[in-house]
Amino acid sequence: MGNGGVKLKRKMYAVSVNNIAKSYGAKKNVTPALHGISFDVKPGELFGLIGPDGAGKTTLFRILTTLLLPDKGTASVDGFDVVNAYKSIRRRVGYMPGRFSLYQDLTVKENLDFFATIFNTSIEKNYDLVKDIYAQIEPFSNRMAGKLSGGMKQKLALSCALIHRPSVLFLDEPTTGVDAVSRKEFWEMLKRLKAEGITILVSTPYMDEAGMCDRVALIQSGRLLEMDTPSAIIRDFSKKLLALKGPDMLTLLQAIRSHKDVADAYPFGEFHHVVLEQDDESGLLGYLQDNGIAFEAKMAVPDIEDCFIQLMKEER
Amino acid sequence: MREKVIIAEKLTKRFGDFTAVDAISFDVNKGEIFGFLGANGAGKTTAMRMLSGLSLPTSGNATVAGFDVYRENEKIKRNIGYMSQKFSLYEDLTVRENIRFYAGIYGKSSSFIRDKTTAVLQRLHLTGEADKLVKSLPLGWKQKLAFSVAIFHEPRLVFLDEPTGGVDPVTRREFWQLIYEAAAEGITVFVTTHYMDEAEYCDRVSIMVDGRIDALDSPSVLKQQFGARSMDDVFLKLARKAQRTAD
């Protein structure tokens, strides 16, 4: 792409990542973190970066928030280059790192005041944006941030990342280690922020959160496995998928895996998911019956986790 | 009657006027995979600390691996294994050194350690990495190794505190395969997780809400009881009742 093309892409997208690569260490001890990845996020989009620990999610976030220089490639945020125009980016993005990074020995209110002041604004000016979230911790506004519970820290960190009304919000694993109820509540908050027009780039190791995003990139070992809307990724799962369960799940799994029609089989909640090499399951089911293994079987609809597993295995 | 590895009766822990664990009673059978669920702050960690001999209860009774939690907590520590997402292995020791170190702490003989190390490395397909530093291994391998180290001394019971957090979906399943194998060998597994699909892999599951055990049964009975389609639904129905705030 010529220079003009890059400029155009910058204008069109809230985040544009072009062939970004990054390694840590030097000489003999080089650990690659990102292998030349590219993707774009549209303005107002809720974009999910889905992958396990060590996939490169945090490295990418640090590059996009101008805290780390890429080895190769270019990237822009809100039209500004992450290397040359880093100061402009810092003024207009919000960033919530995976680790709690507020001042533990300032109170809730002091932390929020501090971040508002740094960005030349005030709590009053943007209160409507953080109101829903901040109201939940406001009764504790005089408590030290270090003395808050995990859930309250998360809400304060999100409030601080929002108080200057950023155009792009970066959230690095906001739901890791958080229980299922709090995770659901957090995603409700993100939907309300999206309605305010804020572009959100969020990372998570939880595959079931992919469905809450407009589009997702599946990332593993520094490479994008796939990028699309969650429903399109699921539509692309081309093989037939069965769900089987029985009284002895371990024996059932071993028997399924030994059959030639089976491309892959793995535990999936109360069932085993079975990916077939071909569309006809009668060979496998007959084989299980002949071997006296009790089971019930049904067709299964794949979800993002099934897709991730298949993509990971193709990559290997 | 099946042998009980954990028996807890009205086990309680108070910190000042805060009751972290409020008179919980339950049994865990030998060789069982027991899921210990609850929202952040429900009291899971405090309960696990009492059961592993690290914290004395305020009131109530419990025996773990046949030993009393008040008087025999040192014996409990010797007869259990423990691993968590946060604390597992020494990054600056090799795979082999980590195994030898932990097995040595539990007083295992050199010949036992030597023979079993070979078997464990083969099982994990880590024979070629035996002399590499643990920090050079991918997270999923580390967690599988940490689990094998936690049960290397053949404890009667192993506590797993969110062992699969952040682990990729393929390795997460390989990890559960190791859990199944350990349970089949008679090691009782006591596990916490935030992945609700993993709750389905347990023989029985308890769900803590505000310091109490509000539900305890097999996943299929719990789903029936709560009219829920999945363990995720069961968990949400119970945890939403919680009055306490997290942590």
Side-chain angles (χ1 to χ4, degrees), chain A residues 52-53 149-150 177-181 183-184 205-207 250 253 257 266-270 305 308-309 312 316, chain B residues 39-40 139 165-170 172-173 177 180 194-195 197 200-201 223 229 232 235-236 239-240 246-247:
Chain A
D53 288 2
S149 74
V178 173
D179 67 67
V181 176
R183 279 168 56 196
K184 287 226 159 57
Y206 294 104
M207 306 280 147
L250 193 54
L253 185 61
R257 281 182 175 156
Y266 42 86
F268 204 95
E270 67 170 316
E305 189 147 353
F308 199 99
I309 289 171
M312 259 184 84
R316 282 178 182 179
Chain B
N40 299 118
L139 173 77
V167 174
D168 72 70
V170 174
R172 206 149 68 77
R173 288 171 171 81
Q177 182 88 31
Y180 278 125
H194 284 313
Y195 292 98
D197 61 327
E200 304 270 5
Y201 307 155
K223 280 182 280 184
R229 293 216 324 271
D232 196 29
F235 184 81
L236 291 177
R240 285 227 160 98
D247 293 341

Side-chain angles (χ1 to χ4, degrees), chain B residues 171-243:
Chain B
T171 312
R172 206 149 68 77
R173 288 171 171 81
E174 290 167 359
F175 191 93
W176 271 88
Q177 182 88 31
L178 293 177
I179 292 181
Y180 278 125
E181 288 170 10
E185 286 166 19
I187 295 177
T188 306
V189 178
F190 191 95
V191 58
T192 74
T193 180
H194 284 313
Y195 292 98
M196 287 304 127
D197 61 327
E198 294 185 346
E200 304 270 5
Y201 307 155
C202 300
D203 296 316
R204 285 190 306 149
V205 168
S206 73
I207 301 178
M208 275 189 90
V209 180
D210 291 347
R212 291 181 302 274
I213 290 182
D214 267 20
L216 198 176
D217 218 311
S218 67
S220 57
V221 171
L222 286 179
K223 280 182 280 184
Q224 222 165 30
Q225 193 181 327
F226 288 89
R229 293 216 324 271
S230 63
M231 282 304 294
D232 196 29
D233 289 342
V234 174
F235 184 81
L236 291 177
K237 281 187 177 169
L238 277 169
R240 285 227 160 98
K241 299 191 319 196
Q243 300 295 307

